Amino acid sequence: MTAVFEMSARVVRAAMDVLAGLPDDHGLAFGEVWQRVQKTDPSLVPEWEAALPPQATGPKTKLRYESINLVKAGWLRKTGRVWRLTGPGRLALAEFADDPVAFLRRAYERYAYWDRERPAFDRVEAVLGALADLGQWVRAGQLARAVGLDRGFLLVWLQGSRPRGWHLVLGDDGEVPEELGLADSEYDGWRTSLERDAAYDAAASGGHAVRARLDKEIPAEELQRQVSEAGPEASPDADSPRRAWLIRGADARGAALIRGLWRERKVCTLPAERLPGLGEGAATGLIRNLVDTHYSDLSQSRRNETATAFHTFLSRMRKGDIVATTDGDQVYLGTITGETVQTVTGGGTVLQRSVDWSNLDSPLSLADLPKALAGPLGNPGAGLVEISEFTGDLEVLLDEDPEQSPTGGADAAELPDATDELAGKLTMRDTEWLQDCVELLRDRPQLILYGPPGTGKTFTALALARHLTGGREANVALVQFHPAYSYEDFFEGFRPRAVPLTPREGTEAKGKPAAGDLSDAGSGIVFDLVPGPLKTIAEKARDNPGENFVLVIDEINRGHLAKVFGELYFLLEYRDEFVQLLYGSDEGRRFWLPRNLVILGTMNTTDRSIALLDAAMRRRFSFMELHPAKPPVDTVLADWLKKKSLPQDAALLLDALNGRIEQAELEDRDFRIGPSYLMRPAVHTTPKGLDRVWKHQILPLLKELHWGDEAVDVEEQYGLEALRRETGVTAGAAVPAARGTGE
């Protein structure tokens, strides 16, 4: 069980215990629940922050997300933003009294069942709405069979979700099922609901025996008809789901309008001093023409921004959409309740929409929000921005049942420990060195493997990357730096693309020319802003916070790092912060490097033609050495030969070679030779394979090492024959390749 899940279970259980301590069927607003959780468990927040990475969702916000699971499990009910524990919720607390992890795991299982059978639950809601209109009730087992659901789950789910007509689902004799473990006040509420529908049987009821009139039961054939008619239908707004918007406004003194006008009049506004009167739904072209005419003093980019804002406010925002605004780090949420009107306020002519602001007395803070949502809301330069990708998150923060999937509810990814299997793949004798790498990455998700050639840096980096991502190849990316590599290559940049100037008749030019267009009609050039490998994998990591992603940068010190990373240089050290991108592609949302993106670099320390890292970059990375004379590399070749059932000759010769290099008393210890040159089966299984590798790959490195030193005969000093004489190893015949040993 992960630390995230254990901590989540702890905060959920603390909140449920708070609710369980209230009088029967009493509830608390979420803010009060959280305050009491902190009082009953004062070490919760400090231990949460110590155990989890900084970008993990905080415990307060996590509790909001987990409440979704509890409602669908039927254990928690939210009405008017007040949380109440249900009868089944009390039973579940008693069942898992000493095991909060099992409590939350069971809630997850129940949510998964609801999610899997969501169409059936939608049919239940439609049927119950019809029953409420008719004043009829239905047997729980009969309804469950009709829609294909488990009877027990259906009854419990109704206690949490409470759709219209929920109280009309009863036992076989029209009674309130005792299995729900309801309190006296809950029985009284059920009785009142049946009385309101004129379905209560007072003569047959008493105490916990709450029954409905038998003549009010829906006939079986009528129930089947209702279920059939409750099949999935296309919603009139299916092609335009609920949206969310960030909007800001300030008065003449620079104070946020949510402090005054917006709060007092329950509205949001957009300045429109020079805009002629326009109705809702005005076309984009018309708005742009009016802006070009009446705002001609603005630059072209400012006119585009102004026209886009007007079009959004007039034609894209709708009743029911969510709006968010900020005052410093305080966040206010509301729901649009009216159409656009053009009116005059103390600040001049404005476009105005009525808003039901929901948390004027208890604003959220930026720390309460998912990391990605804090990007646009924390950007003071962002005006009217669509944030519909966070609609589900905002619905959770509004204590609503989210219609769209929240982005911030997933548990933060955790890096797995090194395993014996990983060590075996890398021919390492134990996991100690690899576990050190993992621990360093947990502290700072950037690591460089450095050392001489042939020590397996890239091979190790890729194997570690695949291990950290659970073997998901799509979560691993590899790039190789070189002196000409730039920010535009690595992150994003404009790239030319040929387009036809005059497409031939019958062809469709959708941004890309049809075959033959360019040569037949001539072409022009347009420039597209194209994401590079870092931006691509960072966006994947942001969208999948429960998974790990790894970017491997081979030969990282061959590039001009300050130039390649640009403004992202800052984010390597401060993963909790945001930057505005050079080309503005963040559109006001700002960019950040998610914590679940790991960067692994490899660095050759021998090549004198390339520069080592500067001090600023070294501060942003941890470093792990792979050196032929130190663990884990020093035993790799011998262990690999043993694993392949090959003689140890090559290992003895390599040790002798590195011994002679050491005796040469060179200034640089990194000139020793790594084992990778000799870890290919063909070196040992083909005639003179070892001789060829030694002559054409190893000796050239050593000749470069002694370049200009006429006193050293490289062949005599480091040649294979000289080393064989020293070690007593004879030139043996090639070993036949064993099946299954090829690499």
Side-chain angles (χ1 to χ4, degrees):
M1 189 58 58
T2 65
V4 175
F5 193 87
E6 290 176 351
M7 295 299 295
S8 297
R10 178 176 167 184
V11 69
V12 166
R13 184 54 184 264
M16 295 303 99
D17 286 340
V18 166
L19 295 176
L22 300 175
D24 291 340
D25 205 33
H26 281 59
L28 292 171
F30 172 75
E32 181 64 23
V33 172
W34 176 244
Q35 289 179 13
R36 295 196 183 191
V37 165
Q38 291 177 290
K39 289 179 181 178
T40 57
D41 190 353
S43 64
L44 173 64
V45 173
E47 291 182 17
W48 181 288
E49 293 174 348
L52 303 182
Q55 287 186 348
T57 303
K60 182 179 179 182
T61 303
K62 186 65 173 176
L63 178 57
R64 287 185 184 271
Y65 283 108
E66 296 295 2
S67 70
I68 302 170
N69 301 300
L70 300 174
V71 169
K72 297 309 179 186
W75 300 346
L76 178 68
R77 183 170 84 251
K78 298 179 182 180
T79 51
R81 303 194 183 96
V82 173
W83 290 22
R84 290 180 174 84
L85 200 62
T86 66
R90 285 188 291 272
L91 294 177
L93 277 176
E95 180 182 357
F96 301 105
D98 301 320
D99 196 344
V101 169
F103 177 84
L104 185 57
R105 186 187 297 116
R106 180 64 60 83
Y108 275 33
E109 292 170 356
R110 295 182 67 83
Y111 178 90
Y113 177 81
W114 169 82
D115 191 45
R116 186 170 62 251
E117 303 293 342
R118 189 178 300 196
F121 285 99
D122 290 342
R123 288 196 292 274
V124 167
E125 292 193 34
V127 169
L128 293 183
L131 291 180
D133 292 335
L134 297 171
Q136 295 178 312
W137 63 273
V138 63
R139 302 184 188 193
Q142 193 176 25
L143 177 59
R145 287 191 297 274
V147 298
L149 291 174
D150 176 79
R151 175 188 179 277
F153 190 100
L154 173 61
L155 276 170
V156 173
W157 170 78
L158 289 169
Q159 301 309 300
S161 295
R162 292 286 181 96
R164 179 170 176 262
W166 66 272
H167 59 285
L168 298 171
V169 182
L170 301 165
D172 290 343
D173 296 325
E175 79 285 359
V176 172
E178 292 186 7
E179 65 200 74
L180 295 175
L182 303 181
D184 291 343
S185 58
E186 291 173 296
Y187 278 105
D188 292 340
W190 209 312
R191 180 182 292 109
T192 300
S193 296
L194 290 173
E195 288 175 342
R196 185 181 60 244
D197 290 338
Y200 178 58
D201 189 342
S205 302
H208 286 179
V210 177
R211 290 185 171 87
R213 291 167 45 185
L214 295 181
D215 63 326
K216 286 286 190 174
E217 180 183 5
I218 186 172
E221 60 276 10
E222 176 63 15
L223 175 63
Q224 289 297 332
R225 187 182 69 81
Q226 293 286 355
V227 170
S228 299
E229 292 180 355
E233 296 181 1
S235 168
D237 293 325
D239 59 339
S240 54
R242 190 182 196 185
R243 293 171 175 165
W245 311 90
L246 165 63
I247 185 169
R248 287 194 175 91
D251 60 22
R253 298 170 298 166
L257 289 175
I258 192 63
R259 300 182 194 174
L261 176 68
W262 291 7
R263 175 189 292 264
E264 296 163 2
R265 296 193 183 182
K266 296 184 178 180
V267 297
C268 66
T269 60
L270 188 69
E273 189 66 38
R274 298 185 238 169
L275 186 69
L278 284 175
E280 186 157 339
T284 306
L286 172 61
I287 294 174
R288 289 193 178 277
N289 288 337
L290 290 174
V291 168
D292 286 340
T293 300
H294 297 281
Y295 293 81
S296 58
D297 57 312
L298 301 181
S299 66
Q300 182 63 52
S301 62
R302 290 284 293 129
R303 292 201 301 273
N304 288 340
E305 292 175 9
T306 302
T308 299
F310 285 151
H311 179 253
T312 297
F313 201 92
L314 285 164
S315 305
R316 300 187 63 213
M317 298 172 75
R318 298 176 305 153
K319 290 174 62 176
D321 284 355
I322 298 173
V323 288
T325 192
T326 60
D327 183 7
D329 65 350
Q330 295 181 320
V331 180
Y332 298 87
L333 303 178
T335 303
I336 296 176
T337 58
E339 309 294 344
T340 305
V341 295
Q342 193 161 353
T343 186
V344 178
T345 68
T349 302
V350 297
L351 298 177
Q352 177 177 290
R353 283 181 178 270
S354 58
V355 176
D356 177 16
W357 295 106
S358 65
N359 63 334
L360 292 175
D361 297 326
S362 55
L364 301 168
S365 72
L366 291 175
D368 295 327
L369 307 178
K371 179 67 177 179
L373 181 53
L377 292 182
N379 179 8
L384 180 53
V385 177
E386 182 172 3
I387 52 174
S388 294
E389 66 267 36
F390 303 111
T391 299
D393 300 280
L394 295 172
E395 289 173 327
V396 171
L397 296 171
L398 285 167
D399 263 342
E400 298 179 5
D401 191 5
E403 298 176 4
Q404 302 177 39
S405 299
T407 65
D411 289 341
E414 296 184 52
L415 296 178
D417 288 336
T419 62
D420 292 335
E421 180 183 3
L422 176 61
K425 288 179 180 178
L426 294 169
T427 323
M428 295 183 182
R429 292 186 174 179
D430 56 50
T431 62
E432 181 179 0
W433 187 89
L434 293 167
Q435 186 61 31
D436 284 344
C437 291
V438 174
E439 296 297 342
L440 287 170
L441 289 170
R442 286 171 176 168
D443 177 55
R444 175 177 290 173
Q446 291 108 225
L447 175 68
I448 288 178
L449 308 181
Y450 70 100
T455 49
K457 299 181 294 296
T458 303
F459 182 78
T460 302
L462 288 172
L464 184 58
R466 294 183 177 108
H467 170 73
L468 295 176
T469 58
R472 300 179 180 90
E473 286 292 336
N475 291 17
V476 178
L478 172 69
V479 297
Q480 188 175 64
F481 281 5
H482 53 76
Y485 208 72
S486 68
Y487 176 92
E488 287 73 18
D489 300 311
F490 187 49
F491 189 72
E492 67 177 355
F494 285 98
R495 291 287 180 268
R497 174 169 55 87
V499 295
L501 292 177
T502 54
R504 291 176 304 169
E505 185 177 355
T507 62
E508 294 183 3
K510 298 180 179 179
K512 293 184 178 180
D517 282 352
L518 298 182
S519 59
D520 294 349
S523 65
I525 298 295
V526 296
F527 287 84
D528 298 325
L529 188 58
V530 178
L534 176 57
K535 187 177 184 184
T536 299
I537 197 170
E539 290 177 343
K540 288 181 180 179
R542 181 200 63 197
D543 295 339
N544 299 275
E547 298 180 14
N548 290 313
F549 292 77
V550 180
L551 176 64
V552 178
I553 305 176
D554 199 31
E555 304 286 3
I556 189 170
N557 55 328
R558 287 185 178 272
H560 189 314
L561 297 185
K563 175 183 177 183
V564 171
F565 279 93
E567 70 270 19
L568 308 177
Y569 213 63
F570 169 80
L571 296 181
L572 291 176
E573 186 168 8
Y574 300 100
R575 290 283 183 113
D576 296 336
E577 302 296 335
F578 295 85
V579 297
Q580 292 180 303
L581 296 179
L582 178 64
Y583 293 115
S585 60
D586 54 310
E587 297 179 338
R589 289 169 170 80
R590 301 188 298 171
F591 181 81
W592 55 289
L593 279 180
R595 187 82 185 184
N596 59 323
L597 172 59
V598 169
I599 298 177
L600 292 178
T602 69
M603 186 170 75
N604 184 345
T605 54
T606 302
D607 191 344
R608 293 167 174 169
S609 67
I610 57 178
L612 300 182
L613 302 184
D614 60 28
M617 186 57 77
R618 283 186 174 274
R619 190 177 68 248
R620 288 161 168 79
F621 282 84
S622 300
F623 291 79
M624 288 292 286
E625 185 180 31
L626 287 167
H627 193 276
K630 295 176 60 177
V633 182
D634 58 343
T635 59
V636 164
L637 180 57
D639 291 346
W640 182 84
L641 292 168
K642 181 179 179 180
K643 179 180 178 181
K644 300 297 182 183
S645 300
L646 296 169
Q648 292 291 315
D649 296 358
L652 295 172
L653 292 168
L654 183 62
D655 287 343
L657 171 65
N658 283 326
R660 291 197 174 192
I661 294 175
E662 183 179 8
Q663 292 171 4
E665 297 183 354
L666 299 169
E667 293 181 0
D668 196 336
R669 62 191 288 271
D670 287 332
F671 283 117
R672 300 182 196 186
I673 303 301
S676 298
Y677 294 99
L678 306 177
M679 292 178 64
R680 297 194 299 274
V683 174
H684 311 278
T685 59
T686 59
K688 295 188 177 182
L690 182 60
D691 297 72
R692 279 193 292 271
V693 169
W694 213 274
K695 179 178 180 181
H696 298 291
Q697 295 185 30
I698 294 177
L699 287 182
L701 290 175
L702 298 172
K703 288 179 180 178
E704 182 180 345
L705 170 64
H706 288 283
W707 184 263
D709 189 351
E710 301 296 337
V712 177
D713 186 332
V714 172
E715 183 71 33
E716 177 61 28
Q717 181 77 9
Y718 305 112
L720 198 53
E721 291 305 319
L723 295 172
R724 281 173 174 157
R725 289 193 300 270
E726 176 184 333
T727 59
V729 172
T730 60
V735 178
R739 291 184 179 180
T741 62
E743 292 186 355

